[in-house]
Amino acid sequence: YQRRVHGNDIEFEGEAYPPLINQYLSQLCTLLFLFGIIANLMPTIVLPPVAAEWVINHRGMAIVGVMICNMIAGQLISTGAFEVYYNDQLVFSKIQEGRMIFIR
């Protein structure tokens, strides 16, 4: 994903940053989330009998568990990273600094 926006004399360009391992872990959490939703809707069809019984008896915990998987998936790819360039010179990088920019 890459996006380029032109406005007045400023050019903004953006693309996805998260490290590859974070992307893979996020996709795994998303798959667990989707399977968890299906398992909560149809536990006796998609789960072994013991697991289906647990889901039926602990529906609230099962739903919270899949929601946590979804939140983790979002956090893994949400870095908030950005870099500022002026005349092709790097002025600030949140990736390198590990903090937000401070303007005096």
Side-chain angles (χ1 to χ4, degrees), residues 23-89:
Q23 291 178 17
Y24 289 140
L25 290 173
S26 175
Q27 289 174 354
L28 177 64
C29 287
T30 300
L31 289 174
L32 287 172
F33 168 72
L34 294 174
F35 178 76
I37 294 294
I38 293 168
N40 272 293
L41 293 174
M42 304 178 284
T44 56
I45 296 171
V46 297
L47 295 173
V50 173
E53 183 180 338
W54 187 89
V55 168
I56 290 168
N57 293 332
H58 301 91
R59 184 84 59 183
M61 284 179 26
I63 290 172
V64 168
V66 297
M67 292 302 176
I68 289 172
C69 280
N70 192 39
M71 291 186 328
I72 291 170
Q75 288 298 315
L76 283 169
I77 58 173
S78 177
T79 62
F82 67 93
E83 293 181 325
V84 178
Y85 288 86
Y86 181 72
N87 290 335
D88 294 328
Q89 292 287 92

